[in-house]
Amino acid sequence: MGTILLGGSIMMFFNIPSILIVVGGTIASTMIAYPLADIMSIFKSGMKVFIFKIEQPEDIIANLVEISNKARKGGLLSIEGDIQTTPDPYLAQALQMTVDGVKTGDIAAIMQKKMALTKKKLDLGSDMFSSMGSYAPAFGMIGTLIGLVQMLANLDDPSSIGPKMAVAMITTFYGAVMANLFFIPMADKLTGRADLEITNMNIIFEGIISIREGEHPKLMEDKLKVYLAGGKGKEEEKK
Amino acid sequence: MGTILLGGSIMMFFNIPSILIVVGGTIASTMIAYPLADIMSIFKSGMKVFIFKIEQPEDIIANLVEISNKARKGGLLSIEGDIQTTPDPYLAQALQMTVDGVKTGDIAAIMQKKMALTKKKLDLGSDMFSSMGSYAPAFGMIGTLIGLVQMLANLDDPSSIGPKMAVAMITTFYGAVMANLFFIPMADKLTGRADLEITNMNIIFEGIISIREGEHPKLMEDKLKVYLAGGKGKEEEKK
Amino acid sequence: MGTILLGGSIMMFFNIPSILIVVGGTIASTMIAYPLADIMSIFKSGMKVFIFKIEQPEDIIANLVEISNKARKGGLLSIEGDIQTTPDPYLAQALQMTVDGVKTGDIAAIMQKKMALTKKKLDLGSDMFSSMGSYAPAFGMIGTLIGLVQMLANLDDPSSIGPKMAVAMITTFYGAVMANLFFIPMADKLTGRADLEITNMNIIFEGIISIREGEHPKLMEDKLKVYLAGGKGKEEEKK
Amino acid sequence: MGTILLGGSIMMFFNIPSILIVVGGTIASTMIAYPLADIMSIFKSGMKVFIFKIEQPEDIIANLVEISNKARKGGLLSIEGDIQTTPDPYLAQALQMTVDGVKTGDIAAIMQKKMALTKKKLDLGSDMFSSMGSYAPAFGMIGTLIGLVQMLANLDDPSSIGPKMAVAMITTFYGAVMANLFFIPMADKLTGRADLEITNMNIIFEGIISIREGEHPKLMEDKLKVYLAGGKGKEEEKK
Amino acid sequence: MGTILLGGSIMMFFNIPSILIVVGGTIASTMIAYPLADIMSIFKSGMKVFIFKIEQPEDIIANLVEISNKARKGGLLSIEGDIQTTPDPYLAQALQMTVDGVKTGDIAAIMQKKMALTKKKLDLGSDMFSSMGSYAPAFGMIGTLIGLVQMLANLDDPSSIGPKMAVAMITTFYGAVMANLFFIPMADKLTGRADLEITNMNIIFEGIISIREGEHPKLMEDKLKVYLAGGKGKEEEKK
């Protein structure tokens, strides 16, 4: 868009070798730095972030309150059915342990370790995009250097200097666009998403502990709603 | 101002396509990185920072001392009226819990969790402006590269090189100004504001615990005034 | 000095519009980022750092030992006179609490909170200079871009290109000098000074607790001298 | 590859003095910053990372379960044979202490200290590659400056300017390639590998404590499998 | 070396005003940022790092085992002689306290505070070199700007442009070399050295506590050898 606005032709900005240098270099460096399996799974889950919305804390709390009510009336065993219908494996395993009568301390320990490991895995995702966001402009500059060296070594035809330099600069352009329009925002996105996921896991964690301890559903709801207030902001909360 | 001083015409620095690249690119990257709802609410609260002054710690302490005196004379129930008149929802909820006779430990736990969640939300604001402060100059450079590539590809008319390069450079100029005169200072501003808000919440936290525990209002005041001393600085405090 | 050595005239480096852009831009950004009152007080205390030397730990320890001896002989009340003559409000308040018979735990809590708040305030100072150290070169570059754009838009007179570019570059020069010869070293300076102040406050803290607890002055002196050894370095300590 | 695609000859990018400046300078700075023995061992273990795959957590858990079963049936002494056949010295020492009947607390203390020291050593590796990743482009730029200064000092023959500048720029090219295609990805790689190694050590740590305490092998397996779930990701875990 | 390889004369790179700007500017900024006494002592101890090797952990452990054996046979008083012969003041003071019968808790508190203070002092050293590593290239660029401004202001004689620009660029060259071949590697070096010194202090700390508590020398040796295994690396340890 910007290009058209500035009055140029888009084809001017399409250059296969430049794309190969920036994309190829970035992929090469990323494959040295990260195992292939990790790269694939991070890209896949990176894409999912845009397709699937994260479960809303409100819904999670409503679900937990419902389960808590059921457990209060019918005993812990009555929530066994929810284990199968729960799509979230974290909640499912926590419910299973609750039904199995695992001690509160052990449930807490396992749930917290899972949270820590999930956090680590999510951080890996934004670290990788962050690295790619620094590799891409570097290879953009490398491509421009290649173009400049070739141009400078053959200055015989002055009329070719301009177009050759234009081509050399396109590589820097590619690197900058890829980094700033994709990799770096993706890293920020995944960091934000990780925060939301960990908050959700924290809500489930506190809810399950509350259910296991047999707290009143209303009390549990009050405690969990603190998370919503924090999310909606101090000012709005009172209205 | 600087422009006029340097003897140029301001219109020279007004270029629609350049503005579109920098502003559009920055908005695009920000929308990839952050949910739209967050972006809107951060901008709104960012603007509020300049319009509404934060409540002074002195006033908060005076208010708490007053409430403490009332509670001492008329019992905890006598402060029920303050809950409605308190504009700050954090203080209002804390008072409500105090009146309801919630245990000190539970009040403390909920208030501290709210503080932590507020801190997280405020940090998100300065993180977002910080990100925008790095996107803007990047798109400034990207726009300049677009302009240079177009210019270099058509060097036929030497007399047009200068003006074309001037236009190309304006995009870098826009990115640098937006980042350094708005986004980065805003990030610093919100960081500072967050500090003040958390300090205020800490004062309220300690005050409410003190009221709940039935401490003498004078003792509470002495404890809370430590926050003022820290704010005014070590040297001035004695005068 | 460098200019003269390189054989140029100093007047060549004096350009009012450039100064206005760099200084004005830096001040504008700083005023967006920080409250005016904070900016003034930080500059004032920044200047004081060069005029007033910080109290030496040796003197503080000697003073505390003297007070401890007095308290041991004449009781805690005998040190009441020192409260008036002590120029340091931190020590004065601590002595006052000691004379008033405040419990050790409460004294410790208040003194540590004061230390934490002082640390925060001192950090704000070096953060602000650090921010200014990044604003200044940015506005230097912005000024140079303004100059270049104006020059490029009017390339008619080739003989004026050189001088115009020289003027444009001076703005970058101003930004770099201001940042590297003033703002960034000041930020480092204030960080170092904050360390020394907090160390002094720690010495006073431990000394007062020791006096309150009625420890033998000699034992207190031995404990506090650890701070001196750390300051003088491991090697020198034994001589 | 990129070079060929851009239509140049590869020989154009081969320049002995440039290589010597970048490689020599990077080595020199690294040798000032790190002891020679460390540099050698880091490079050696850096290479091993690509040749030897790290042991899979699944295999470690399976192995620990087997040992646990053996210990349950034949007593702690029956696992003495595993000490000799275990290739991992960390596990071997832990088993030895278990067989020797060292107290659980002491085993834990020693194993955790070993973990902390291993983490420190692994961090040193990625720190070193990180440093080299900043030295290399710096010496690339230094080499280019050398070339430019020489070229600028002798501008008599205009036809030689281009080739001389081309040679000067190759040094920047070398520095950028070395940093972005080797040093920086290696630093990222070693950081990731360190994470995996520490996770493995954590699994062994928990497994050994479980064996020493005589927990049921099935219970131990359940606890350790949390690490696998975290590794495979929350979503996949349930299938 | 690089210069000669690139075929230039070394004298071309020797320029007194450029050296004065970079060295003078770096010194000036450093003196603003750090007290003179600190600068001197850091440079002195920075040089010592290359002359004196740090004591090997193996030797420290051997020494502690010997002292422990002596104390076991002849009582704590029998180690009084070692206090005089010990060159390390940290160990000497710890031994003195042990002989004097100071309580274990008090010895531990003093030794840990000394460690923390030593760490702080060592960190100051690498912070200072780190700062100098950012001042030097900045003044290199400032010097180049001075040269360029002077050149651009007098473009009358085209034949002098090249040499003048060459001289201007030398200043950037100086700054980059000083930073990357001296200041930054020195900062890395001091960070690494600090790690080793703190490890040694930790070994002495644990050894002294063990001696004070009357642990068996063999047990102490086993515990301390964990530090050696960490140093030599996991793989080598078993051979």
Side-chain angles (χ1 to χ4, degrees), chain D residues 11 31 57 74 76 145 155 166 171 185 202 238:
Chain D
M11 283 317 291
M31 284 179 63
L76 284 176
L145 284 170
L155 286 176
T171 325
N202 253 317
K238 224 189 161 178

mmCIF file with all atom_site columns, all heavy atoms in Angstrom, chain D residues 11 31 57 74 76 145 155 166 171 185 202 238:
data_model
loop_
_atom_site.group_PDB
_atom_site.id
_atom_site.type_symbol
_atom_site.label_atom_id
_atom_site.label_alt_id
_atom_site.label_comp_id
_atom_site.label_asym_id
_atom_site.label_entity_id
_atom_site.label_seq_id
_atom_site.pdbx_PDB_ins_code
_atom_site.Cartn_x
_atom_site.Cartn_y
_atom_site.Cartn_z
_atom_site.occupancy
_atom_site.B_iso_or_equiv
_atom_site.pdbx_formal_charge
_atom_site.auth_seq_id
_atom_site.auth_comp_id
_atom_site.auth_asym_id
_atom_site.auth_atom_id
_atom_site.pdbx_PDB_model_num
ATOM 1  N N   . MET D 1 11  ? 34.361  -15.801 -5.712 1.00 0.00 ? 11  MET D N   1
ATOM 2  C CA  . MET D 1 11  ? 35.722  -15.364 -5.403 1.00 0.00 ? 11  MET D CA  1
ATOM 3  C C   . MET D 1 11  ? 35.755  -13.899 -4.975 1.00 0.00 ? 11  MET D C   1
ATOM 4  O O   . MET D 1 11  ? 36.619  -13.483 -4.214 1.00 0.00 ? 11  MET D O   1
ATOM 5  C CB  . MET D 1 11  ? 36.622  -15.568 -6.632 1.00 0.00 ? 11  MET D CB  1
ATOM 6  C CG  . MET D 1 11  ? 37.035  -17.006 -6.830 1.00 0.00 ? 11  MET D CG  1
ATOM 7  S SD  . MET D 1 11  ? 37.523  -17.804 -5.272 1.00 0.00 ? 11  MET D SD  1
ATOM 8  C CE  . MET D 1 11  ? 39.052  -16.895 -4.946 1.00 0.00 ? 11  MET D CE  1
ATOM 9  N N   . MET D 1 31  ? 39.799  -14.127 23.859 1.00 0.00 ? 31  MET D N   1
ATOM 10 C CA  . MET D 1 31  ? 40.857  -14.602 24.740 1.00 0.00 ? 31  MET D CA  1
ATOM 11 C C   . MET D 1 31  ? 41.145  -13.630 25.878 1.00 0.00 ? 31  MET D C   1
ATOM 12 O O   . MET D 1 31  ? 41.641  -14.023 26.927 1.00 0.00 ? 31  MET D O   1
ATOM 13 C CB  . MET D 1 31  ? 42.117  -14.899 23.936 1.00 0.00 ? 31  MET D CB  1
ATOM 14 C CG  . MET D 1 31  ? 41.967  -16.221 23.185 1.00 0.00 ? 31  MET D CG  1
ATOM 15 S SD  . MET D 1 31  ? 43.404  -16.630 22.179 1.00 0.00 ? 31  MET D SD  1
ATOM 16 C CE  . MET D 1 31  ? 44.647  -16.781 23.474 1.00 0.00 ? 31  MET D CE  1
ATOM 17 N N   . PRO D 1 57  ? 13.680  -37.502 27.961 1.00 0.00 ? 57  PRO D N   1
ATOM 18 C CA  . PRO D 1 57  ? 13.100  -37.625 29.297 1.00 0.00 ? 57  PRO D CA  1
ATOM 19 C C   . PRO D 1 57  ? 12.336  -38.949 29.466 1.00 0.00 ? 57  PRO D C   1
ATOM 20 O O   . PRO D 1 57  ? 12.378  -39.557 30.541 1.00 0.00 ? 57  PRO D O   1
ATOM 21 C CB  . PRO D 1 57  ? 12.141  -36.433 29.379 1.00 0.00 ? 57  PRO D CB  1
ATOM 22 C CG  . PRO D 1 57  ? 12.645  -35.457 28.388 1.00 0.00 ? 57  PRO D CG  1
ATOM 23 C CD  . PRO D 1 57  ? 13.334  -36.228 27.316 1.00 0.00 ? 57  PRO D CD  1
ATOM 24 N N   . GLY D 1 74  ? 14.283  -56.029 45.548 1.00 0.00 ? 74  GLY D N   1
ATOM 25 C CA  . GLY D 1 74  ? 15.513  -56.585 46.121 1.00 0.00 ? 74  GLY D CA  1
ATOM 26 C C   . GLY D 1 74  ? 16.198  -55.704 47.146 1.00 0.00 ? 74  GLY D C   1
ATOM 27 O O   . GLY D 1 74  ? 17.304  -56.021 47.595 1.00 0.00 ? 74  GLY D O   1
ATOM 28 N N   . LEU D 1 76  ? 17.586  -51.660 48.450 1.00 0.00 ? 76  LEU D N   1
ATOM 29 C CA  . LEU D 1 76  ? 18.420  -50.643 47.827 1.00 0.00 ? 76  LEU D CA  1
ATOM 30 C C   . LEU D 1 76  ? 19.746  -51.202 47.311 1.00 0.00 ? 76  LEU D C   1
ATOM 31 O O   . LEU D 1 76  ? 20.289  -50.734 46.312 1.00 0.00 ? 76  LEU D O   1
ATOM 32 C CB  . LEU D 1 76  ? 18.688  -49.505 48.828 1.00 0.00 ? 76  LEU D CB  1
ATOM 33 C CG  . LEU D 1 76  ? 17.511  -48.532 49.044 1.00 0.00 ? 76  LEU D CG  1
ATOM 34 C CD1 . LEU D 1 76  ? 17.848  -47.506 50.108 1.00 0.00 ? 76  LEU D CD1 1
ATOM 35 C CD2 . LEU D 1 76  ? 17.153  -47.840 47.742 1.00 0.00 ? 76  LEU D CD2 1
ATOM 36 N N   . LEU D 1 145 ? 36.293  0.185   8.320  1.00 0.00 ? 145 LEU D N   1
ATOM 37 C CA  . LEU D 1 145 ? 36.854  1.514   8.573  1.00 0.00 ? 145 LEU D CA  1
ATOM 38 C C   . LEU D 1 145 ? 38.300  1.586   8.095  1.00 0.00 ? 145 LEU D C   1
ATOM 39 O O   . LEU D 1 145 ? 38.714  2.578   7.486  1.00 0.00 ? 145 LEU D O   1
ATOM 40 C CB  . LEU D 1 145 ? 36.786  1.843   10.072 1.00 0.00 ? 145 LEU D CB  1
ATOM 41 C CG  . LEU D 1 145 ? 35.414  2.228   10.604 1.00 0.00 ? 145 LEU D CG  1
ATOM 42 C CD1 . LEU D 1 145 ? 35.424  2.281   12.116 1.00 0.00 ? 145 LEU D CD1 1
ATOM 43 C CD2 . LEU D 1 145 ? 34.983  3.591   10.039 1.00 0.00 ? 145 LEU D CD2 1
ATOM 44 N N   . LEU D 1 155 ? 42.768  9.084   -3.153 1.00 0.00 ? 155 LEU D N   1
ATOM 45 C CA  . LEU D 1 155 ? 41.649  9.136   -4.101 1.00 0.00 ? 155 LEU D CA  1
ATOM 46 C C   . LEU D 1 155 ? 42.108  9.489   -5.508 1.00 0.00 ? 155 LEU D C   1
ATOM 47 O O   . LEU D 1 155 ? 41.311  9.827   -6.372 1.00 0.00 ? 155 LEU D O   1
ATOM 48 C CB  . LEU D 1 155 ? 40.613  10.171  -3.638 1.00 0.00 ? 155 LEU D CB  1
ATOM 49 C CG  . LEU D 1 155 ? 39.758  9.777   -2.444 1.00 0.00 ? 155 LEU D CG  1
ATOM 50 C CD1 . LEU D 1 155 ? 38.847  10.923  -2.048 1.00 0.00 ? 155 LEU D CD1 1
ATOM 51 C CD2 . LEU D 1 155 ? 38.926  8.551   -2.793 1.00 0.00 ? 155 LEU D CD2 1
ATOM 52 N N   . ALA D 1 166 ? 34.520  -2.017  -2.267 1.00 0.00 ? 166 ALA D N   1
ATOM 53 C CA  . ALA D 1 166 ? 33.956  -3.362  -2.233 1.00 0.00 ? 166 ALA D CA  1
ATOM 54 C C   . ALA D 1 166 ? 34.726  -4.232  -1.244 1.00 0.00 ? 166 ALA D C   1
ATOM 55 O O   . ALA D 1 166 ? 34.146  -4.930  -0.399 1.00 0.00 ? 166 ALA D O   1
ATOM 56 C CB  . ALA D 1 166 ? 33.987  -3.986  -3.627 1.00 0.00 ? 166 ALA D CB  1
ATOM 57 N N   . THR D 1 171 ? 34.507  -6.952  4.807  1.00 0.00 ? 171 THR D N   1
ATOM 58 C CA  . THR D 1 171 ? 34.808  -7.232  6.208  1.00 0.00 ? 171 THR D CA  1
ATOM 59 C C   . THR D 1 171 ? 33.548  -7.113  7.075  1.00 0.00 ? 171 THR D C   1
ATOM 60 O O   . THR D 1 171 ? 33.303  -7.939  7.953  1.00 0.00 ? 171 THR D O   1
ATOM 61 C CB  . THR D 1 171 ? 35.904  -6.270  6.722  1.00 0.00 ? 171 THR D CB  1
ATOM 62 O OG1 . THR D 1 171 ? 36.812  -6.030  5.663  1.00 0.00 ? 171 THR D OG1 1
ATOM 63 C CG2 . THR D 1 171 ? 36.644  -6.879  7.872  1.00 0.00 ? 171 THR D CG2 1
ATOM 64 N N   . PRO D 1 185 ? 23.151  -17.824 16.853 1.00 0.00 ? 185 PRO D N   1
ATOM 65 C CA  . PRO D 1 185 ? 22.343  -19.055 16.950 1.00 0.00 ? 185 PRO D CA  1
ATOM 66 C C   . PRO D 1 185 ? 22.941  -20.082 17.911 1.00 0.00 ? 185 PRO D C   1
ATOM 67 O O   . PRO D 1 185 ? 22.207  -20.775 18.614 1.00 0.00 ? 185 PRO D O   1
ATOM 68 C CB  . PRO D 1 185 ? 22.344  -19.597 15.509 1.00 0.00 ? 185 PRO D CB  1
ATOM 69 C CG  . PRO D 1 185 ? 22.603  -18.418 14.647 1.00 0.00 ? 185 PRO D CG  1
ATOM 70 C CD  . PRO D 1 185 ? 23.483  -17.511 15.446 1.00 0.00 ? 185 PRO D CD  1
ATOM 71 N N   . ASN D 1 202 ? 16.561  -32.537 36.791 1.00 0.00 ? 202 ASN D N   1
ATOM 72 C CA  . ASN D 1 202 ? 15.449  -32.416 37.726 1.00 0.00 ? 202 ASN D CA  1
ATOM 73 C C   . ASN D 1 202 ? 14.662  -33.720 37.827 1.00 0.00 ? 202 ASN D C   1
ATOM 74 O O   . ASN D 1 202 ? 14.244  -34.122 38.912 1.00 0.00 ? 202 ASN D O   1
ATOM 75 C CB  . ASN D 1 202 ? 14.506  -31.294 37.269 1.00 0.00 ? 202 ASN D CB  1
ATOM 76 C CG  . ASN D 1 202 ? 14.621  -30.067 38.148 1.00 0.00 ? 202 ASN D CG  1
ATOM 77 O OD1 . ASN D 1 202 ? 14.691  -30.200 39.368 1.00 0.00 ? 202 ASN D OD1 1
ATOM 78 N ND2 . ASN D 1 202 ? 14.658  -28.897 37.541 1.00 0.00 ? 202 ASN D ND2 1
ATOM 79 N N   . LYS D 1 238 ? -3.739  -34.853 25.811 1.00 0.00 ? 238 LYS D N   1
ATOM 80 C CA  . LYS D 1 238 ? -4.893  -35.690 26.133 1.00 0.00 ? 238 LYS D CA  1
ATOM 81 C C   . LYS D 1 238 ? -5.138  -36.795 25.129 1.00 0.00 ? 238 LYS D C   1
ATOM 82 O O   . LYS D 1 238 ? -5.736  -37.809 25.440 1.00 0.00 ? 238 LYS D O   1
ATOM 83 C CB  . LYS D 1 238 ? -6.151  -34.819 26.237 1.00 0.00 ? 238 LYS D CB  1
ATOM 84 C CG  . LYS D 1 238 ? -6.982  -35.221 27.450 1.00 0.00 ? 238 LYS D CG  1
ATOM 85 C CD  . LYS D 1 238 ? -8.297  -34.543 27.444 1.00 0.00 ? 238 LYS D CD  1
ATOM 86 C CE  . LYS D 1 238 ? -9.289  -35.254 28.329 1.00 0.00 ? 238 LYS D CE  1
ATOM 87 N NZ  . LYS D 1 238 ? -10.554 -34.516 28.312 1.00 0.00 ? 238 LYS D NZ  1
#
